Amino acid sequence: MIRAWWYPNDGKEPDEVTLDEVSGKIDAANGLVWIDSDHTDEPALDPLLTQLGVNEFAREDLVKAGQRTKLAHYTDHFHVAVYDCVLRADGVHAREIDIVFGAGWALSIHQAPDNGDPGDFPIDLVRRRFGVQRAQHRASDVGLLLWSLLDVVVDRYFVVTETVDDHLDEIEDAILAGTEATQHEKNKTTMQLFSLGKALVRFRRAAVPLRDVTAEIVRREVPCIDDTAIVHFQDLADHVLRVSDFVESQRDVLTGLRDAELAAASNRLSESQQRIAAWGAILIVATLITGVLGMNFRNAPELDWEIGFLVIAGLMLVLGIPIFFYFKRKDWI
């Protein structure tokens, strides 16, 4: 569905307009036209993009999607591609959000998700946030709308980072459980590590490049964004930087947990080898005695001696018990 609204600068409630009225309503001095689409059906979008005079390369990006996070400059309009991300049990689900804007107008398109389903983008939250800024500044600036869209996206990034932190805490507890965990739980922890690592790489690819987008806007490289919105983007740039720092620190923690998990597995293997070596040392005494006495010679003592078996068995115990307690004291058994 494609919807369009006209936001006047006097702070009045927006009016919904038809797509045929869009080009006639564009007037940066009096207000803002915002068109929002939840699909990229080319036949439906083509007349609208023609009305707005969208560059042919931008039109191709909007139809094909799959863009990296970026801010593209054209003659009199700009294209921002960002990703709305949600962390689920099977990984990060992302939806590309494309925003094409110029003086007095903006077009936002929610692309189809490339994997999984992140759910609907909260466009109503964007409208409420934009409404608050309109009432506060008595203006319907395209910069404030763009800030509202990106601010909602970045807020959802913080939800992802918090969820990642929770998963990292759970994995850390599982690794520290050590020998108390079952083999199934150990295998599950290993799979969680690899799954979370893959999700974090995907999230980093979507979120971190947004630093460059906000940096360009803060440097006033987008003429249609005025000083009022620049102040908001400075705050947004700080939030994006915090998300980037969280992602980098979480990658470091994840790397540390992988090393800890490998060290724990190595320790478990070493303990198993210690137990095998200890029991082998104990049994080697009995093996040595039985091996000597098992040789075929005529005067073997156990052949004619009635208590020969008991004596030999007792000798095995006398020699084996001290070795057992020695390894027991060293906690090898």
Side-chain angles (χ1 to χ4, degrees):
M1 184 174 72
I2 304 177
R3 300 181 64 187
W5 301 273
W6 161 250
Y7 289 86
N9 280 335
D10 56 11
K12 292 182 180 179
E13 289 298 313
D15 295 325
E16 191 162 353
V17 298
T18 64
L19 299 183
D20 295 333
E21 300 174 312
V22 166
S23 59
K25 279 287 188 179
I26 296 177
D27 183 1
N30 294 314
L32 170 73
V33 174
W34 176 21
I35 311 102
D36 182 71
S37 173
D38 59 3
H39 64 80
T40 55
D41 182 36
E42 187 172 5
L45 283 176
D46 190 63
L48 177 61
L49 298 177
T50 301
Q51 284 190 68
L52 297 173
V54 177
N55 183 278
E56 59 177 319
F57 296 110
R59 295 172 72 152
E60 183 180 349
D61 291 345
L62 294 177
V63 173
K64 291 186 177 180
Q67 305 301 307
R68 62 179 177 83
T69 301
K70 66 178 182 178
L71 170 60
H73 297 241
Y74 299 102
T75 306
D76 59 350
H77 57 281
F78 304 85
H79 174 208
V80 173
V82 295
Y83 283 86
D84 176 45
C85 297
V86 177
L87 182 62
R88 301 278 172 77
D90 55 344
V92 169
H93 295 187
R95 181 192 302 274
E96 181 181 341
I97 307 295
D98 288 291
I99 309 157
V100 182
F101 64 95
W105 64 274
L107 167 64
S108 56
I109 299 177
H110 320 169
Q111 304 284 356
D114 53 358
N115 74 316
D117 183 8
D120 295 332
F121 181 69
I123 198 68
D124 290 336
L125 178 59
V126 175
R127 294 186 62 187
R128 289 195 298 270
R129 198 162 296 187
F130 180 47
V132 171
Q133 297 304 318
R134 288 182 64 233
Q136 181 178 348
H137 299 288
R138 304 292 294 178
S140 298
D141 182 63
V142 68
L144 293 176
L145 174 59
L146 179 62
W147 171 84
S148 300
L149 282 160
L150 297 183
D151 194 50
V152 170
V153 170
V154 173
D155 283 350
R156 287 161 70 83
Y157 286 171
F158 279 111
V159 175
V160 174
T161 58
E162 290 172 2
T163 307
V164 170
D165 276 338
D166 292 339
H167 288 333
L168 288 174
D169 290 339
E170 293 174 2
I171 293 174
E172 183 179 10
D173 292 340
I175 292 175
L176 293 178
T179 56
E180 298 177 4
T182 64
Q183 187 61 43
H184 174 73
E185 291 171 338
K186 294 171 186 175
N187 293 338
K188 181 180 177 181
T189 300
T190 301
M191 294 305 299
Q192 285 177 330
L193 273 173
F194 283 103
S195 176
L196 189 59
K198 183 178 179 181
L200 203 53
V201 168
R202 181 176 177 79
F203 177 59
R204 181 179 184 274
R205 190 180 301 124
V208 172
L210 192 55
R211 291 183 304 185
D212 298 331
V213 175
T214 56
E216 288 186 58
I217 296 174
V218 169
R219 290 196 302 265
R220 292 175 169 80
E221 296 182 13
V222 182
C224 59
I225 296 180
D226 62 16
D227 292 341
T228 301
I230 290 294
V231 175
H232 291 70
F233 276 101
Q234 289 172 342
D235 179 69
L236 181 65
D238 179 67
H239 290 176
V240 174
L241 185 60
R242 287 172 56 195
V243 170
S244 301
D245 290 341
F246 283 144
V247 171
E248 297 303 330
S249 63
Q250 287 169 345
R251 290 183 69 198
D252 292 340
V253 171
L254 187 62
T255 300
L257 288 176
R258 282 175 174 168
D259 293 340
E261 200 272 339
L262 289 174
S266 178
N267 288 339
R268 292 193 295 268
L269 178 61
S270 178
E271 290 173 359
S272 298
Q273 291 174 335
Q274 286 177 348
R275 289 189 177 90
I276 294 172
W279 284 110
I282 294 170
L283 295 176
I284 195 66
V285 176
T287 303
L288 179 62
I289 295 174
T290 55
V292 172
L293 296 178
M295 291 189 295
N296 296 322
F297 56 91
R298 184 182 302 278
N299 298 319
E302 73 277 11
L303 296 179
D304 300 321
W305 195 10
E306 294 183 358
I307 60 172
F309 173 78
L310 296 178
V311 171
I312 293 171
L315 180 61
M316 293 179 185
L317 291 175
V318 169
L319 296 177
I321 288 176
I323 301 176
F324 172 83
F325 282 107
Y326 171 79
F327 286 117
K328 187 71 173 178
R329 187 169 63 252
K330 293 179 67 67
D331 200 25
W332 280 37
I333 296 178

